[in-house]
Amino acid sequence: MNDYTTMNEEEDDKKSFIQRLRDSVLPIKPEDSGLTKVMKQIGFGFFLGVAGVVTALLAIAVSFAL
C-alpha cells in the first residue's frame, strides 16, 4: 500500500463494476428507511435501463454512419 492508496480505495477495488457504479449514482446509507432503500434500488435499475438503451442507440447510429 502506498501513500496515495487508502483503505476505502482498496475496498472499492474489490467491488464489482456495477456495485461501484450503484454506490456512485445512488448511494444507500445505513440510516435510510426501508422504502428509501427500495426506491433507490428501483431508481438505479431505471438508470441502468436508460443507459443501456442510449448505449444501444449510439451503437446503432455509429454502425449506420460507417
Side-chain angles (χ1 to χ4, degrees):
M1 183 167 94
N2 60 27
D3 294 337
Y4 299 109
T5 305
T6 64
M7 291 301 284
N8 195 17
E9 289 174 356
E10 287 179 358
E11 291 173 3
D12 285 345
D13 289 343
K14 294 178 184 177
K15 293 181 181 179
S16 69
F17 173 73
I18 297 295
Q19 185 66 34
R20 285 183 285 144
L21 183 63
R22 191 193 64 73
D23 288 343
S24 65
V25 173
L26 287 170
I28 295 178
K29 300 173 186 158
E31 62 268 6
D32 287 342
S33 68
L35 180 63
T36 303
K37 290 179 182 180
V38 170
M39 294 300 291
K40 285 184 177 183
Q41 292 287 4
I42 291 170
F44 181 68
F46 183 71
F47 168 78
L48 277 182
V50 170
V53 169
V54 168
T55 302
L57 290 174
L58 284 172
I60 291 168
V62 167
S63 68
F64 279 122
L66 297 176

